[in-house]
Amino acid sequence: MLLIVEFVWGAYRVIRCKKVSKTYGSALNRVVALDQLEIQIDSLEKVAIVGRSGSGKTTLLNLLSGLDRPTSGSLSVNGMDLGQLDSAAMADYRLKTVGVVFQSFQLISQRTAAQNVELPLIIAGEPAEVRAKKVSQSLRKVGLGDRANHFPYQLSGGEQQRVAIARAVVKQPRVMLADEPTGNLDSKTAAEIMQLLMQICENEALTLVLITHDLELAGKYTDRQLVMDDGKLIETKSGQNGTVAASVDCP
Amino acid sequence: MSWLDIIRMAIHNLRRRPFRTILNLLGIVLGTVMVLMTMAGSEGVKHALHSVLESSDFTRKVIARRTSKVSEEDLDQSRWKISQPMSAARRERMEESLKKFLLEEKRKTDGRYRQINQETLKQFGELHNVIEVVPQLRVNFKLSMGEFDQTIYGEGVSPKVSGLNERIVSGEMLTASDRNGILIHELMAYRMGCVTQQELDALVGTEVVCSFKTSGKPNQLASALTAIEGGDLQKLVSQNPLILGFIKQLGGNVDNLRSLTDEQKQLLRKSIGSFGESDSPQPPVVERRFKIKGVYHSIAEDNLFDLFSQLRFDSKRPVLFHYETATDLQVDVGGIKEFYSATLHVDRFAHVKQVEDDLGELGYDTFSARSMIERIDNRISRISRVIYVVALIILVVTGIAISNTLIISVMERTSEFGIMKSLGARDNQIVGLMFVEGALLGAVGAVLATLASLLIGMFGQSLVRDYVEGRVNEQVSGEMFMFSPWATLVALMVSVLLCAVASVIPAWRAARLDPIVAMRKN
Ligand SMILES: Nc1ncnc2c1ncn2[C@@H]1O[C@H](COP(=O)(O)OP(=O)(O)OP(=O)(O)O)[C@@H](O)[C@H]1O
Ligand SMILES: [Mg+2]
């Protein structure tokens, strides 16, 4: 009975941070990036994390994307306790559960758009025909059906970020994580990318955790905004078009 | 991640960095070509030399000598141990000499001394794979033809296996049944006044007279005397004119004949008295008539077969008889029933060892070109071993260089591995990818090296052939580079393995990168 409750709850609460701390360095130059952080994010929710530089946003996202582990506390995503996973299981988690979009796109310059999108499918060991189909679908979803064979240097920043989104989405993850995906783009392109991201999360039924500096964008597109400072959650704004507390100054 | 995908990705990665890939390939190809060419070259040259050697008659001859091998029971060490104080080196030398001396003595005294006579020649002929047995003869005689008159040596040859057929300048080779023909050396013919080819041709068919000076030996006399034990020397002399010739040469000095007993000396003195000085006949000379069948030449100097000078005919023995004729002359006219050695002609070089072993078992010492050929083989393999070491060093250095460029490549691809890991690639997938890249490089290099080696082999063939032919002064046939499939396979495996191993360390580094740090490099 308890198990069923847990299961349903887990499906509902996709992300749960309980007293998550992350410290860098040793005794002398110790940096507390996350300090007993408590966050809960529900399924299909779109959440923005805002806060000034150095407040620990990226650190949190790295933990969520399975690239790093918390120093203490428990962090569970989609029912998996990330602290307990071994490195192979962690790789599996990165492969199947989360799709990550980075500020600097992180495309492999030696591979074309299609080949970049294909990479997670290759890693997953999917057969070539399936891969080809999924890749072209994915590229079409981001509006790059005709740029499949272009290399990253042949694409604009916005287009590169679209490729990155296609690559994140092609894995059919449960959670989409984006660390300032529009940080390197002009405001018009940024809006386009933001729209695309929202649309995709809606269509693919993804939970979104978005880090951004752009308060306007955050308020415009997300359901909830979590404000962080000094590794702690200091404020939560609910509802779309909600405004962020003026006390938080962002560069 | 399936292996096919890993290979495909590895190929992709190699192709996207052509310059680095080509440089690495160059190193691998160089090393592997060295190894392959060394193997193929030493094998080919060995074969070529063998085919030259084995095609010649020299290498199919085994000379049996009249000595005995020493058996284990002869080796009673106590007999030659020296106990007096002296330096170890000197003791060793002394004991060695003493041992030789004692064994020689033993051989002579205990009847294990092997001699070669007509009986043993027959025995040799019955050995496996022996075609013909020719005893070594030296027949001393005077050859006269018209004004020409000279004392020379003759030698017996077998028309079947002499190897002289290609060395006939004029006339023809002796036939198997030809007991009355002789061959003469071209220098001999020149001395006889035949300079031009016409004169040589005219010489063929001419009859010559060979006068064999008969001679006896004290021990033969002794055995003859023993045979008639107190008998009639007159009768003996009438049976064998040689004895008389010998007695005449001796004069009255019977005392010098140490091999005779006093009784025999007595008998001899008495008998000599019965031959008057006046009616004593001239030392007997046996005359035989032969027909010159052909003129032959020696092999050109500076030839590979010079190595086997023991096995050839030359101007020192300028007249060649059919060996059976020569044997008859030696036994009947010369009264010599033992031969210093005999040449056994074996059907194939491969059987020479077995014939030598058989002879050894019978108690004879042997000599053949086999040891020479084995020494040549040894030298070739020793040289190739040196080249192998050099080639291996090149391969290892290449491996280190590959490792180095792969480390650099890992560094420049740091972000790529970071991205792959962030997308869910496991450590062992990254290691596998790098490993396959290395192995692929090795495999492609190995295939290229094989092709390059075959090409070099094709074009280098004549160069090496010219060199070898220049050295041995003989036509050399066959491939100069022999690529044995197994050896080639092993060389290729080594190349692939080396590259794969060289990529393990960089692969390990790549896999252990922290993806966050790695991606920051982008
Ligand atoms: N690898 C690291 N080693 C040491 N300190 C680190 C490391 N990564 C982050 N930090 C520190 O942790 C704190 C939080 O950094 P984080 O990158 O999470 O901030 P952020 O909110 O993403 O900032 P920004 O908005 O500038 O990206 C900062 O003080 C930073 O200096
Ligand atoms: Mg950040």
Side-chain angles (χ1 to χ4, degrees), chain A residues 52-59 61 103 179-180 211 213:
Chain A
R52 50 180 188 164
S53 185
S55 58
K57 307 184 295 290
T58 299
T59 304
L61 202 92
Q103 177 176 356
D179 189 351
E180 301 188 40
I211 292 174
H213 274 119

Side-chain angles (χ1 to χ4, degrees), chain B residues 63-64 116-118 120-121 124 132-138 154-158 313 317 321-328 330-331 337-345:
Chain B
I63 293 177
I116 298 175
N117 52 35
Q118 276 167 306
T120 47
L121 291 181
F124 291 166
E132 186 138 46
V133 180
V134 181
Q136 195 204 7
L137 307 146
R138 281 249 176 149
E155 169 89 36
V157 294
S158 160
F313 307 106
R317 286 164 253 173
F321 301 93
H322 190 288
Y323 76 97
E324 285 176 13
T325 311
T327 308
D328 290 346
Q330 171 151 317
V331 174
K337 294 198 166 64
E338 272 182 43
F339 308 98
Y340 175 71
S341 69
T343 305
L344 282 71
H345 295 262

Side-chain angles (χ1 to χ4, degrees), chain A residues 62 67-68 88 91-92 94-95 102 106-108 110-111 115 119-120 122-123 125 131 151 167 171, chain B residues 1-2 5 8-9 12 16-17 416 419-426 429 514-516 519-520 522:
Chain A
N62 284 343
L67 295 172
D68 212 344
D92 247 33
R94 292 197 292 259
L95 181 61
F102 301 93
Q106 302 291 3
L107 299 177
I108 294 176
Q110 303 290 339
R111 299 174 76 84
Q115 285 169 342
L119 202 53
I122 293 175
I123 293 168
R131 291 203 305 251
F151 285 92
R167 184 180 62 185
K171 305 194 278 187
Chain B
M1 212 166 176
S2 73
D5 287 324
R8 214 176 279 154
M9 277 186 74
H12 181 264
R16 295 300 301 178
R17 295 169 181 82
E416 184 178 323
I419 293 168
M420 284 187 68
K421 286 187 77 169
S422 83
L423 290 174
R426 296 182 183 192
Q429 288 176 324
D514 177 355
I516 299 172
M519 281 192 292
R520 212 169 282 152
N522 206 348

Side-chain angles (χ1 to χ4, degrees), chain B residues 484-499:
Chain B
S484 99
W486 282 113
T488 307
L489 202 73
V490 167
L492 301 192
M493 301 273 276
V494 165
S495 152
V496 172
L497 213 72
L498 198 83
C499 291

Side-chain angles (χ1 to χ4, degrees), chain B residues 346-508:
Chain B
V346 182
D347 58 351
R348 295 219 318 265
F349 174 73
H351 293 143
V352 164
K353 178 165 176 17
Q354 174 245 315
V355 170
E356 280 193 271
D357 289 348
D358 290 350
L359 282 170
E361 230 155 82
L362 289 174
Y364 292 92
D365 280 348
T366 60
F367 172 88
S368 76
R370 190 171 59 90
S371 60
M372 190 73 71
I373 291 175
E374 276 170 5
R375 233 175 301 150
I376 291 174
D377 283 357
N378 274 346
R379 185 168 293 191
I380 290 175
S381 44
R382 218 176 321 138
I383 291 168
S384 18
R385 238 172 287 149
V386 172
I387 304 178
Y388 277 140
V389 170
V390 172
L392 268 182
I393 290 171
I394 288 186
L395 267 184
V396 168
V397 169
T398 306
I400 293 169
I402 289 169
S403 208
N404 193 34
T405 54
L406 284 177
I407 285 174
I408 292 169
S409 137
V410 164
M411 267 151 58
E412 79 184 30
R413 286 160 70 189
T414 298
S415 67
E416 184 178 323
F417 295 123
I419 293 168
M420 284 187 68
K421 286 187 77 169
S422 83
L423 290 174
R426 296 182 183 192
D427 288 6
N428 57 11
Q429 288 176 324
I430 306 246
V431 173
L433 184 64
M434 291 295 289
F435 191 77
V436 168
E437 263 190 61
L440 216 62
L441 212 61
V444 172
V447 170
L448 286 181
T450 311
L451 294 179
S453 300
L454 289 175
L455 273 181
I456 295 171
M458 244 160 67
F459 291 108
Q461 178 98 286
S462 57
L463 227 78
V464 177
R465 191 194 302 279
D466 286 352
Y467 176 75
V468 173
E469 285 183 348
R471 293 288 293 184
V472 304
N473 223 344
E474 277 292 319
Q475 283 270 312
V476 174
S477 62
E479 300 290 317
M480 287 298 107
F481 294 99
M482 293 181 69
F483 297 93
S484 99
W486 282 113
T488 307
L489 202 73
V490 167
L492 301 192
M493 301 273 276
V494 165
S495 152
V496 172
L497 213 72
L498 198 83
C499 291
V501 166
S503 64
V504 161
I505 297 168
W508 194 239

Side-chain angles (χ1 to χ4, degrees), chain B residues 126-143:
Chain B
E126 283 157 9
L127 291 176
H128 277 299
N129 306 316
V130 172
I131 303 172
E132 186 138 46
V133 180
V134 181
Q136 195 204 7
L137 307 146
R138 281 249 176 149
V139 189
N140 184 316
F141 59 92
K142 198 154 81 180
L143 184 137

Side-chain angles (χ1 to χ4, degrees), chain A residues 8 18 93 99-100 168-169 193:
Chain A
V8 174
K18 275 190 209 156
Y93 166 80
V100 190
V169 99
I193 291 293

Side-chain angles (χ1 to χ4, degrees), chain B residues 258-277:
Chain B
R258 260 177 278 147
S259 60
L260 298 188
T261 62
D262 285 342
E263 269 175 43
Q264 287 171 334
K265 282 180 189 165
Q266 205 61 45
L267 178 66
L268 198 55
R269 274 197 208 93
K270 215 167 68 199
S271 308
I272 289 172
S274 64
F275 300 116
E277 276 297 320

